[in-house]
Structure formats: structure tokens, C-alpha cells
Amino acid sequence: QAFFVRCLPLSPKNQAMPTTHIEAQEGEIADTVIMPGDPKRARWIAETFLKDSKQVTDVRGICGFTGSYKGKRISVMATGMGVPSMGIYATELIKDYKCKNLIRIGTCGTVRHDVKLKDIVAAQGASSDSQVNRIRFKGYEYATICDFSLLLTLTETAKEKGIPLGERTESTSAEEAAKPHLQVGNVFTSDFFYHPDERVNPLMKQYNVKAVEMEAYSLYGCAAEYGAKALAILTVSDQIEEGLHMTPQERQSTLNTMCELALDTAAKVAGANA
């Protein structure tokens, strides 16, 4: 039984920019890239946080910008939603634009009661119902993990900003417990937004999966294959089992915290001459 997949070969090393999905010219994208899913969020980050930002791509409405943040050259590139879309942009940024540090930011849901709305989850690893990394790893199981140096820089930056780290305990004061915490752990990247398997949520709870989202597994696989550093940082917007959701106002104010944390981390790792 034959089947056909529409695909293109990877660009040769000497191919001139732009690529199939990114129209930026060579040198227009920094070595460190913040990657929100939503193009409108990418534009908002560039206009709000970057100095002298310039739009460098807008193919199919997926926009990207480059500017400076705290003296470091940083790019912001939207990715769209899901594993395939993330795979396209991560691959082209690393292979064609020689990007070194990719930091995904976005929202996520959780089924764990010890992970609260507005908490920030750093994805130390990513499990998934997707098969892309099994295919990438020639049929074997590949443990998709973030880059430790990025994760360490993130946690150090969170401490500097006064963001509590880790889970709340019985000794955590009421004042401290009310603050958004940075939690580090495994996430579940799903190909489904509306998952048909009712066993998934209990499994995530049993295995201490902090959050569910749709891109980290793809990002980490691409970074591993092509030799870049990657990290996903997620704000908890939905407590799935408790039926709790952040309001639009809460999303805006809390996402500010995540964006600043990601940008401060990016500024520390960005190349001095990037």
C-alpha cells in the first residue's frame, strides 16, 4: 500500500534567504528568538518590549520582528498552533537562519490541583501523543527535553524578579501561595485540542505532568536534531478539571510577567554580537 506525503527537502546550506515560510533576509533574524504561537501576540511583544523593532517577515500572516531588548538583539517570531506548524518554523530558523536559542512562550492547561491559574510552567521535558519524534528518531523513543542552560538561566532570572519557585507546601504562607509560581516539570504536547481519549487526563495527573499544550515536543525534537537550544515557558490559563479559566484581563496582566521573564532570560543568553 503506497502513500504520498507533500514535503520539500531541507534547504541546502548555501541557499539564499528567504525560505519557503519566512521571507526575512540573511542577518535579519537574531540568534535568540522568542516564539509565541499567536501572530498578534508576536506583534504586541515587539511593539511593547523591543526597541527599534522591525518587521522582517509576514508570510501567510505569520509575522516576525527583530529589535533590541536591554541592549541585546532579539527576534520575536510567531509559530501558529500545533506540532507541524512549530516544526516548520523551528526547522527553518535553525537550519537556514542559524538561530541558536529558541524560547517558546504561550498558554497551557493543567489537570493538577497543585498547579494554579497564572502559574508559569517551564517544560523540562515533553511527552506527547504525536509521533513526529519517533519518526525523527528512526522508530525509537526519544526523550524530548529542554536545554539545561536555558532552564537554569530562567530559574535564576525568576529568583531575581521575586517569582516563587516550585510547588506550594503546607509551610507556604497565604501571601506567597497567592502569587504566581514558576513550576518546572514535564508537559504533555497534544495533537488534539479536544482529545477523544478520556484516559489522558487521569494519566497526566498520575504521572505528575504539569501542563498540556501543543508545541513543546516538536520544538525540542527540532532543536535536538539540528543543534540548537530550546525552552518552552507557559502560563497556566485553564484549570481543566476544576473548570477555571483566566479572564481576558488576567491573561493580559499575567502574560506580561511571562513575556518579561522570557525576554530577560533571552537577553542573558543572546550573543554579544548577535
Side-chain angles (χ1 to χ4, degrees):
Q1 182 178 358
F3 67 95
F4 300 92
V5 178
R6 179 176 177 262
C7 61
L8 293 172
L10 288 175
S11 317
K13 291 183 179 180
N14 61 351
Q15 175 178 313
M17 311 309 171
T19 64
T20 305
H21 303 92
I22 303 174
E23 61 188 352
Q25 298 300 311
E26 185 173 5
E28 287 189 326
I29 297 180
D31 75 337
T32 298
V33 186
I34 302 294
M35 304 177 74
D38 185 356
K40 290 184 178 179
R41 187 172 297 155
R43 182 178 298 279
W44 176 81
I45 292 169
E47 293 175 349
T48 303
F49 296 104
L50 298 187
K51 182 179 179 181
D52 300 325
S53 67
K54 172 188 174 183
Q55 184 167 332
V56 296
T57 185
D58 192 25
V59 177
R60 297 189 179 188
I62 299 295
C63 51
F65 305 82
T66 297
S68 65
Y69 179 80
K70 295 188 175 180
K72 294 296 185 71
R73 192 161 179 260
I74 303 292
S75 291
V76 181
M77 176 81 207
T79 66
M81 292 178 64
V83 165
S85 190
M86 171 58 81
I88 288 171
Y89 293 102
T91 296
E92 293 184 8
L93 287 172
I94 301 168
K95 291 284 290 183
D96 296 292
Y97 291 92
K98 312 306 179 188
C99 297
K100 304 300 183 185
N101 305 300
L102 304 184
I103 301 176
R104 156 164 158 66
I105 60 172
T107 56
C108 63
T110 186
V111 297
R112 294 196 58 82
H113 299 296
D114 55 356
V115 181
K116 305 298 184 183
L117 285 184
K118 305 181 187 179
D119 278 356
I120 298 171
V121 175
Q124 186 175 24
S127 303
S128 186
D129 52 19
S130 171
Q131 296 294 305
V132 295
N133 288 332
R134 180 176 285 273
I135 295 169
R136 173 180 279 122
F137 206 52
K138 311 305 180 189
Y140 297 101
E141 193 65 36
Y142 180 75
T144 49
I145 58 174
C146 71
D147 176 76
F148 178 73
S149 65
L150 288 181
L151 179 60
L152 181 61
T153 303
L154 175 76
T155 57
E156 291 173 344
T157 303
K159 289 179 183 178
E160 294 169 3
K161 298 175 76 67
I163 299 173
L165 303 180
E167 298 176 358
R168 298 161 181 84
T169 65
E170 293 181 357
S171 62
T172 305
S173 68
E175 180 181 1
E176 193 80 353
K179 297 178 181 178
H181 281 49
L182 172 63
Q183 301 209 32
V184 178
N186 202 355
V187 303
F188 186 84
T189 300
S190 183
D191 276 339
F192 294 91
F193 190 85
Y194 303 104
H195 209 290
D197 191 343
E198 62 185 16
R199 300 171 297 176
V200 170
N201 286 2
L203 273 174
M204 287 193 290
K205 185 183 294 185
Q206 177 184 351
Y207 282 81
N208 194 26
V209 174
K210 298 286 187 183
V212 57
E213 53 86 69
M214 301 184 75
E215 288 87 23
Y217 178 79
S218 179
L219 172 62
Y220 290 177
C222 289
E225 182 173 3
Y226 302 123
K229 298 178 180 181
L231 176 65
I233 309 169
L234 311 161
T235 295
V236 179
S237 59
D238 302 278
Q239 225 303 340
I240 297 169
E241 293 205 337
E242 296 179 11
L244 300 176
H245 311 281
M246 284 168 47
T247 65
Q249 294 78 13
E250 288 174 329
R251 286 175 184 263
Q252 185 63 55
S253 61
T254 306
L255 293 181
N256 279 0
T257 302
M258 176 185 63
C259 290
E260 291 180 354
L261 180 59
L263 284 163
D264 285 343
T265 300
K268 291 180 178 179
V269 301
N273 299 314

